[in-house]
Amino acid sequence: MISAQKSMAALTSFSLLSNYATTGSIVTSVRASPEVSSYASSINFLTANHSRRYLCRASASHDEEAVAKAAAINADSGAPTIIDKIVSKEIPSTIVYEDDKVLAFKDINPQAPVHVLVIPKCRDGLTQLGKAEQRHGEILGQLLYAARMVAEKEGILDGFRVVINNGPSACQSVYHLHLHVLGGRQMKWPPG
Ligand code: 5GP
């Protein structure tokens, strides 16, 4: 029996599916996972096509969670992240907004027509929102204001969402605080 929670996790990972071009390899990885294999035995009533789609959803969710768990291990090591390389322009990005403290650039793996990451240029201990201290109040406010600037620049001021994934349970994969600004489509509630 699939628990409601696992069902929800699988279904809400639907947007990740668009990033997987090869269904075959996804099904292979599902079979390799005992946790997700148990999903498969519960969905025999579905057609072959539906089953494959369901397995893909479960696998995408599983992969995302595994990546987040792995990332959390080194969360506080002080090691540079991909965001440091983006700030230093070592890795190119499409910049949407920039000032002396904040940088906003398009997410490489967009989950909506508009998907921009807003970051403090200097991490200063803010690997995640859960590490915020009172002294971070000013930069946190600047990040939110920058999110609004991004929404205006991207033409989504009438409806947009700001998301911060905090920690492995929220599938945070990069440990340098970042706000996701999402919009350009109807956003659903509850989120996944
Ligand atoms: P998180 O999972 O930590 O909340 O979000 C990390 C985000 O960083 C993801 O949405 C992911 O697509 C994005 N990302 C990872 N690597 C890169 C990169 O090299 N360039 C850009 N622009 N975004 C990235």
Side-chain angles (χ1 to χ4, degrees), residues 1-112:
M1 191 71 174
I2 305 170
S3 72
Q5 197 180 11
K6 281 180 181 168
S7 269
M8 185 69 118
L11 291 170
T12 52
S13 66
F14 175 76
S15 55
L16 271 175
L17 290 178
S18 58
N19 306 313
Y20 289 94
T22 51
T23 307
S25 64
I26 293 167
V27 172
T28 304
S29 73
V30 167
R31 287 186 182 133
S33 159
E35 189 187 346
V36 183
S37 296
S38 68
Y39 295 0
S41 60
S42 314
I43 56 172
N44 291 335
F45 61 91
L46 297 173
T47 65
N49 202 31
H50 284 145
S51 300
R52 194 174 301 117
R53 203 176 302 155
Y54 189 94
L55 287 167
C56 289
R57 288 176 190 172
S59 181
S61 172
H62 187 76
D63 291 349
E64 189 181 47
E65 290 166 27
V67 167
K69 276 185 189 147
I73 293 168
N74 292 318
D76 296 314
S77 68
T81 71
I82 194 88
I83 288 181
D84 292 288
K85 292 186 178 177
I86 290 171
V87 171
S88 68
K89 313 273 193 317
E90 196 181 324
I91 291 181
S93 67
T94 306
I95 293 173
V96 176
Y97 172 86
E98 183 169 15
D99 62 33
D100 56 335
K101 300 267 174 55
V102 175
L103 182 68
F105 55 90
K106 293 192 175 175
D107 196 295
I108 203 168
N109 183 20
Q111 302 301 314

Side-chain angles (χ1 to χ4, degrees), residues 82-83 86 91-94 105-111 115 117 164-166 170-176 178 180:
I82 194 88
I83 288 181
I86 290 171
I91 291 181
S93 67
T94 306
F105 55 90
K106 293 192 175 175
D107 196 295
I108 203 168
N109 183 20
Q111 302 301 314
H115 187 171
L117 300 178
I164 298 175
N165 296 323
N166 184 91
C171 282
Q172 180 176 1
S173 61
V174 177
Y175 278 84
H176 181 132
H178 50 283
H180 297 258

